[in-house]
Amino acid sequence: MASGGDGGRTGAAASGGLAVCVFCASSSKIDRVHVDLAADVGAELARRGHSLVSGGAQVSCMGAVARAARAGGARTVGVIPEGLVSVEISDEDNDELVVTADMRARKGEMDRRSDAFLVLPGGIGTLEELFEVWTARVLGMHAKPVVILDPTGVYEPLRELMTGLAEQGFARPKIFDAIGWTASVEEAFDLLERSQPRIEATPEDYAEAEL
């Protein structure tokens, strides 16, 4: 395990794969099915020759995805805030463990090191991470793929909420052009590997603050 930054991608470039950032739960109270899903994601990531960027914890889904990725031979990078090292229990087995000053720095570091984002079921922390990269993609600030993997329907109320917001004019329909939504691990990676066009934001997007 090494600490610090490498100034760019996590090492996926050596194998031609992507540096995939996985946002997921660190809670120990969730159903085992979600932890198993994270492990399946880590195994598939490794099988396809990608590397992992995650939240750097060894508990729950965070730990499961990293352990499975390493078991398959993938490089893993964990990024964890200093204040959560003892709370989430940092995963010292990562090939690289980056300790940041706070949550904002954590998200920025994960973003910088990633080529694509995969979102698994999670709580408010996962939702915060999702909305940040989703919003930036809608506004044309990056063209990295963003995919939600939700085989058990945890995020169905979210999809309904966002559809309703678009129907009422609070959000533009193109928010759904900026994200993939699937129940299949294999399809999730197919979507991540697909080249994504940059979404061009219009002046109205900013003037009306509609995403």
Side-chain angles (χ1 to χ4, degrees), residues 145-178:
V146 181
V147 175
I148 290 176
L149 172 57
D150 183 26
T152 59
V154 170
Y155 288 133
E156 279 307 307
L158 173 63
R159 196 205 294 248
E160 293 174 6
L161 171 64
M162 299 308 296
T163 299
L165 290 176
E167 289 173 348
Q168 296 179 67
F170 289 105
R172 293 179 179 271
K174 70 180 180 183
I175 59 172
F176 293 106
D177 296 335

Side-chain angles (χ1 to χ4, degrees), residues 19-23 45 51-55 110-111 113-119 192:
V20 178
C21 181
V22 176
F23 296 135
L45 177 146
S51 66
L52 173 70
V53 179
S54 71
M110 293 172 78
D111 188 349
R113 288 169 170 267
S114 302
D115 302 311
F117 302 96
L118 179 57
V119 185
L192 291 172

Side-chain angles (χ1 to χ4, degrees), residues 101-125:
D102 53 34
M103 290 290 284
R104 289 184 178 180
R106 177 199 223 177
K107 289 185 295 179
E109 189 69 11
M110 293 172 78
D111 188 349
R112 182 182 73 82
R113 288 169 170 267
S114 302
D115 302 311
F117 302 96
L118 179 57
V119 185
L120 308 187
I124 59 173

Side-chain angles (χ1 to χ4, degrees), residues 14-36:
S15 64
L18 299 172
V20 178
C21 181
V22 176
F23 296 135
C24 58
S26 61
S27 172
S28 61
K29 297 181 179 181
I30 59 175
D31 193 287
R32 181 71 200 181
V33 67
H34 302 300
V35 179
D36 291 342

